[in-house]
Amino acid sequence: MNGSAVWHPFTQHAVEPAPPAIARTDGAYLETRDGRHILDAISSWWVVTHGHRHPRIMEAIRNTTETLDQVIFAGLTHEPAEELASALVAMAPSGLDWVFYSDSGSTSVEVALKMALGYFRNIGAPRSRIVVMGQSYHGDTIGAMSVGARGVFNAAYEPLLFEVDTIPFPAAGREQATLDAFEALSRDGQTAALIVEPLVLGAGGMRMYRARVLAELRRIAERSGTLVIADEVMTGWGRTGTLFACEQAGISPDILCTSKGLTGGSLPLAATLATDAIFRAHYSTDRTRTFFHSSSYTANPIASAAALANVGIWKEEPVAERVAALSWMQSEKVARFSKDPRFENVRTKGTIAALDLRVGSAGYLAEVGPRLRAFFLERGLLVRPLGNVIYVLPPFCVTSDELDRLYETIDEAAALASDSR
Ligand code: PMP
């Protein structure tokens, strides 16, 4: 066990090698203690947007520590959180006027679900059904797991998960079945909320669907008074080509969850944005209608200042152009595999590219997954396939040459699949 006391996340310690220790991060790179440079092709689990240790974000963190650390956020407030909330309301899809802070993507989802149920209870028309999309992932806390796809990630905890109704993933050409299923679940007026990852299902295998489907789901929800929760934890902050993925469908959800890229990937912070109607349902002299949720580190001032610096970068640096350039490079470079029989489902959405290696057994536990990871790491590349799904989700500062090296290595890595058929 190497003398380490650390139990790592999503890690099978019995079969995985001791992890390299990272001593430094810079731009698109991680540097190990012994001086190896590793290209972070997955943005450290999708959080880093502009690159590691963006100077402006680091400076904001340093400066804030001169005056603030954690401050209880019930009954008190502070400038970084106030300014950030105003900025988020201005940047997010219209109609999202209130910002509730928490500290991780999963928590932002828990908050969203509680807001939805609280809304219907407080308006005196309780609803409890939650509708989810097949193959989704929304986090690892009990509520977030409950609204995610059932499978290997959560089989052991099944007895704790609450029931939801699932509409099928809208694969290309089969979108109508998804819309029909949602329509059917909307008829009895009992559906409180539909929760979706807009346009790209991340941990479910980087599955992508058309913006038009999201727009249609929104329309159906609106007709039946169902709330739409957009989980933009992964898709937000430019990942899919726009600041938020919902923009591409021209929709505003009732509730939007954001985390990961909110601080540019520097510190943990999350926000759940909600409409005025949802806030108003909780606004009352009757204190039983309070939104009863908090976590100790809610709206941490240093993390809020980091997020504000991120907002500043979006406003003052050509981030949209960088996102557009990276999106173009990704689609150009991954295209070499589109007719390659070793791969299938070659796809991109904004800065994300993904392709499925053809293997005998697919799925998250496909044997080829850990072997691919080791193969890439030996070559100085951090790539973490979801089973046989290889994806590239780099910080926006990655260069064309770095991507070329990465795709060249994906080409070489395909040979590993032949031993796994
Ligand atoms: N929602 C989505 C769409 C995610 O991709 C993730 C994390 N990968 C989460 C929620 C959970 O976020 P966290 O790991 O910060 O709890």
Side-chain angles (χ1 to χ4, degrees):
M1 288 281 174
N2 238 357
S4 171
V6 177
W7 191 341
H8 286 267
F10 267 66
T11 299
Q12 181 41 268
H13 284 267
V15 295
E16 294 186 29
I22 302 302
R24 197 167 192 280
T25 60
D26 192 13
Y29 285 92
L30 310 171
E31 191 182 327
T32 62
R33 214 161 40 190
D34 51 5
R36 287 181 65 217
H37 286 80
I38 300 169
L39 180 70
D40 189 352
I42 58 163
S43 300
S44 280
W45 251 342
W46 322 341
V47 301
V48 177
T49 46
H50 314 293
H52 286 274
R53 285 195 310 113
H54 189 289
R56 231 170 130 156
I57 298 176
M58 295 299 108
E59 194 191 354
I61 292 171
R62 271 193 304 274
N63 289 345
T64 308
T65 61
E66 296 293 327
T67 49
L68 285 165
D69 61 351
Q70 179 63 28
V71 176
I72 181 175
F73 208 57
L76 295 176
T77 194
H78 50 76
E79 201 173 294
E82 291 289 342
E83 272 188 43
L84 178 62
S86 305
L88 291 176
V89 167
M91 293 170 93
S94 65
L96 294 164
D97 294 336
W98 294 93
V99 176
F100 191 95
Y101 289 111
S102 59
D103 40 31
S104 72
S106 302
T107 327
S108 73
V109 168
E110 300 284 348
V111 166
L113 296 169
K114 286 174 68 172
M115 278 179 179
L117 272 275
Y119 166 79
F120 284 106
R121 184 171 193 266
N122 288 347
I123 63 168
R127 295 185 183 191
S128 57
R129 184 190 294 130
I130 304 287
V131 176
V132 307
M133 187 179 275
Q135 320 295 331
S136 297
Y137 175 86
H138 296 287
D140 281 340
T141 51
I142 301 296
M145 277 194 293
S146 297
V147 294
R150 305 297 156 101
V152 67
F153 295 165
N154 49 43
Y157 325 113
E158 179 79 39
L160 298 179
L161 306 186
F162 56 76
E163 269 185 40
V164 294
D165 283 272
T166 304
I167 55 174
F169 172 76
R174 278 180 275 146
E175 289 96 343
Q176 196 55 46
T178 304
L179 300 176
D180 291 347
F182 187 47
E183 183 86 60
L185 287 164
S186 301
R187 277 191 204 117
D188 64 3
Q190 285 307 304
T191 301
L194 165 72
I195 179 164
V196 282
E197 294 167 83
L199 308 190
V200 184
L201 274 53
M206 293 296 158
R207 292 164 196 262
M208 302 175 184
Y209 65 93
R210 296 202 175 102
R212 195 176 53 79
V213 179
L214 187 56
E216 282 301 318
L217 290 170
R218 176 71 184 127
R219 253 189 290 281
I220 297 167
E222 203 143 322
R223 277 203 300 270
S224 58
T226 299
L227 301 177
V228 172
I229 302 170
D231 175 354
E232 293 248 18
V233 169
M234 190 280 277
T235 52
W237 302 99
R239 274 299 160 207
T240 68
T242 45
L243 181 61
F244 291 106
C246 283
E247 293 167 29
Q248 294 175 50
I251 66 148
S252 284
D254 300 282
I255 302 176
L256 183 147
C257 305
T258 179
S259 187
K260 296 194 188 272
L262 173 57
T263 60
S266 61
L267 284 174
L269 184 70
T272 306
L273 279 64
T275 59
D276 194 49
I278 294 169
F279 178 81
R280 292 283 146 205
H282 292 84
Y283 185 86
S284 169
T285 51
D286 174 358
R287 292 175 64 206
T288 65
R289 292 189 179 195
T290 304
F291 185 53
F292 290 110
H293 191 96
S294 178
S295 42
S296 309
Y297 285 100
T298 293
N300 176 268
I302 303 166
S304 302
L308 258 181
N310 169 46
V311 167
I313 292 165
W314 271 89
K315 288 189 177 152
E316 286 152 39
E317 292 188 17
V319 181
E321 285 83 347
R322 283 177 206 151
V323 164
L326 174 56
S327 303
W328 184 81
M329 285 195 288
Q330 284 278 64
S331 51
E332 285 283 297
K333 291 177 198 294
V334 79
R336 67 190 268 181
F337 300 114
S338 55
K339 296 206 172 67
D340 188 327
R342 299 170 303 168
F343 296 97
E344 57 192 334
N345 302 325
V346 177
R347 56 202 183 274
T348 63
K349 182 83 236 171
T351 71
I352 308 168
L355 63 174
D356 305 351
L357 196 52
R358 284 185 202 265
V359 286
S361 72
Y364 186 79
L365 291 186
E367 274 305 310
V368 75
R371 290 172 45 216
L372 284 168
R373 213 189 307 156
F375 180 86
F376 286 113
L377 200 55
E378 273 164 30
R379 285 152 187 80
L381 300 166
L382 181 65
V383 177
R384 235 187 117 83
L386 295 155
N388 64 317
V389 178
I390 300 176
Y391 69 91
V392 179
L393 194 154
F396 306 155
C397 62
V398 72
T399 65
S400 177
D401 286 351
E402 286 160 350
L403 286 177
D404 281 340
R405 186 162 76 85
L406 183 55
Y407 283 106
E408 201 51 50
T409 313
I410 290 176
D411 199 334
E412 290 166 30
L416 293 182
S418 46
D419 313 334
S420 316
R421 271 182 226 272

